[in-house]
Amino acid sequence: MGFARTCSVALVGVEGVVVEVQADLEPGVAAFTLVGLPDKSLTESRDRVRAAIVNSQAEWPQKKITVGLSPASVPKGGSGFDLAVAAALLAAAERIDPGAIADLVLIGELGLDGRVRPVRGILPAVLAAADAGYHQVVVPEQTAGEAALVPGVSVLGVRTLRQLIAILTDEPVPQEPPHEDGRPDPMLAGLLLPGAGAGTGLAAGPAGQPADTLPDLADVAGQHTARRALEIAAAGGHHLFLTGPPGAGKTMLAERLPGILPPLTRQESLEATAVHSVAGILPPGEPLVRHAPYCAPHHSATMQSLVGGGNGLPRPGAVSLAHRGVLFLDESPEFSAKALDALRQPLESGHVIVARAAGVVRLPARFLLVLAANPCPCGRHTLHGTGCECPSAVIRRYQARLSGPLLDRVDLRVEARPVTRSDLLGHGPRGEPSSTVAARVREARDRAATRLADTPWTVNSAIPGHALRTRFPAAPGALAAVEHDLERGLLTARGLDRVLRVAWTVADLAGHDQPTADDLALALELRTGIARGIPATQGEWT
């Protein structure tokens, strides 16, 4: 009787669980049994592993084979267990030393010819292995760069099962023919989820582009108030609601928001990369998401596609794909009310907990929300002399599709005015480029980080209300207008906290030590839409 074991990783959402792969050979009628709660794609690994071992010039054991995946209570799926199953079988058959693979974590799909194909979710799988105390992993060669992002782990990238056998047995490593340049690599097909590429609104977007190729804010004509609100949103991580007629530039503004956000920190990059790797939208050759992601789903998206779901264990939705980046909902009143209200919980907590019959999954969802809407179904309600024909009841129903509790969680509300002729034809002042605005945003973030150095928060939008009112007070007398609006019912308790957060961001942009009365007035104007006499010209922060 032969026995051997090794390890692989099962993904549950964007988190990994180390699974021990055990192989047992017994005398009897030749058979292959796979146990441990496998799904259909994992059950089919029996045929893939058999063909891969035979085509790798190794002998298939003609015995009763039992492969167990432990813990058996965790659902397991996907083809990433193939490499571990093959190694455990070869070790049980004494083709390789069982001790050589006992402390290895192997992840990869096997082709019938023995090639090791890449799979999605390598980064979260290797992170789970490192957290469990493993220091050596074997992955497909194409994903070795992604696995190497995890510190303290030795990564071995292999192209074929023959190479792995030779390395583990100290035999000469066979040279595999290189991939032909100029032709698409069919091995990369396992990394990309069909239907989630560029142009779908689910791709990584700016995350896979160099920062200097992102859309520039200077392309937007006019819209000084909206540009200023965009800068405040980027500096403090505040949610933004843009309303205005069609063609005013709402979508252009939202698309340029990632370009003024600071680069992701190392930890933020790993979090975003893990989600994109599991979702199958990580661009080949780009193992690390360095810039803020941008996700813009269509307004026909279901609640499951927004917050996560699907058959079996839930998969990441748009809110998770936009983690540490921007989620833009264009034509937001056209989204279903159920889908929009599902955003309320992740806006507060920064994560989504999706419960299904197959299990409960916690998905990261700390994003910057940008909503865009027309004032009415025809879009001409706020324009003078254009003949809006929408009845008042229709306008009210259209605007009521965005619920009060959802809008109460949005810090900045700006009306994008129609672009004037002078702005559109270049006669007016040209807007600042993204690089200039991004520099101010980084300076404001640095001021906030210095102030919050001894706290668990890094941006103003994350500070709890109690801390705002006790540890970070405004300048003396600056809260008079805020208190007045609170007494009149124009502000809720949550709205008060959000006004204070925006005021701190305005103060950081202006270089103030504390929010002044003007800072609070601008925050109130952006919150309530009631003019407070504060200039909205770009760059006027002092």
Side-chain angles (χ1 to χ4, degrees), residues 175-244:
Q175 295 295 326
E176 303 294 340
H179 173 68
E180 297 182 19
D181 294 334
R183 297 184 59 187
D185 189 354
M187 300 286 284
L188 298 177
L191 293 177
L192 296 178
L193 184 68
T200 62
L202 295 177
Q209 303 177 20
D212 55 357
T213 64
L214 300 180
D216 199 300
L217 198 57
D219 300 335
V220 181
Q223 302 300 351
H224 301 306
T225 302
R227 290 169 60 95
R228 192 173 204 185
L230 205 72
E231 184 174 345
I232 295 173
H238 306 288
H239 307 305
L240 175 63
F241 177 38
L242 295 170
T243 181

Side-chain angles (χ1 to χ4, degrees), residues 38-279:
D39 71 350
K40 179 65 175 177
S41 61
L42 182 51
T43 303
E44 293 175 348
S45 67
R46 296 177 296 186
D47 300 317
R48 292 193 299 270
V49 169
R50 180 187 292 108
I53 289 178
V54 172
N55 290 326
S56 299
Q57 286 76 53
E59 183 179 353
W60 178 259
Q62 297 297 324
K63 295 183 179 181
K64 181 181 178 181
I65 302 172
T66 303
V67 174
L69 308 175
S70 180
S73 58
V74 177
K76 305 167 191 70
S79 55
F81 291 88
D82 291 0
L83 195 60
V85 172
L89 282 174
L90 292 171
E94 299 182 351
R95 174 65 177 86
I96 58 179
D97 181 12
I101 64 170
D103 294 325
L104 281 181
V105 175
L106 299 100
I107 308 166
E109 176 186 339
L110 286 175
L112 300 184
D113 56 355
R115 290 183 298 172
V116 181
R117 304 180 64 92
V119 294
R120 297 190 293 270
I122 288 292
L123 178 59
V126 177
L127 285 171
D131 292 340
Y134 292 88
H135 303 288
Q136 293 180 312
V137 298
V138 180
V139 298
E141 186 180 59
Q142 292 86 345
T143 57
E146 182 181 345
L149 296 173
V150 182
V153 176
S154 176
V155 178
L156 172 62
V158 295
R159 299 182 62 187
T160 63
L161 181 59
R162 290 197 307 160
Q163 285 185 342
L164 178 62
I165 295 174
I167 292 172
L168 294 177
T169 56
D170 294 329
E171 298 175 359
V173 179
Q175 295 295 326
E176 303 294 340
H179 173 68
E180 297 182 19
D181 294 334
R183 297 184 59 187
D185 189 354
M187 300 286 284
L188 298 177
L191 293 177
L192 296 178
L193 184 68
T200 62
L202 295 177
Q209 303 177 20
D212 55 357
T213 64
L214 300 180
D216 199 300
L217 198 57
D219 300 335
V220 181
Q223 302 300 351
H224 301 306
T225 302
R227 290 169 60 95
R228 192 173 204 185
L230 205 72
E231 184 174 345
I232 295 173
H238 306 288
H239 307 305
L240 175 63
F241 177 38
L242 295 170
T243 181
K250 302 185 294 294
T251 302
M252 289 185 66
L253 287 164
E255 289 175 344
R256 282 147 181 80
L257 180 54
I260 64 175
L261 288 173
L264 301 181
T265 64
R266 177 74 175 184
Q267 180 61 33
E268 292 171 345
S269 294
L270 291 177
E271 293 174 7
T273 302
V275 177
H276 289 189
S277 178
V278 170

Side-chain angles (χ1 to χ4, degrees), residues 440-455:
R440 285 202 301 266
V441 169
R442 284 194 295 271
E443 291 176 1
R445 289 266 184 131
D446 291 341
R447 292 191 187 99
T450 301
R451 183 175 64 254
L452 303 173
D454 59 343
T455 70

Side-chain angles (χ1 to χ4, degrees), residues 241-245 331-335 337 340-341 371-383 388 390-408 413 415:
F241 177 38
L242 295 170
T243 181
E331 306 294 345
S332 53
E334 301 295 340
F335 284 80
L340 288 174
D341 286 338
L371 300 171
N374 295 323
C376 66
C378 75
R380 300 191 297 270
H381 176 60
T382 57
L383 301 179
C388 173
C390 299
S392 300
V394 173
I395 296 175
R396 286 195 300 269
R397 283 197 301 269
Y398 183 80
Q399 295 177 350
R401 292 179 183 177
L402 298 177
S403 66
L406 175 63
L407 291 180
D408 198 37
R413 306 174 190 178
E415 181 180 355

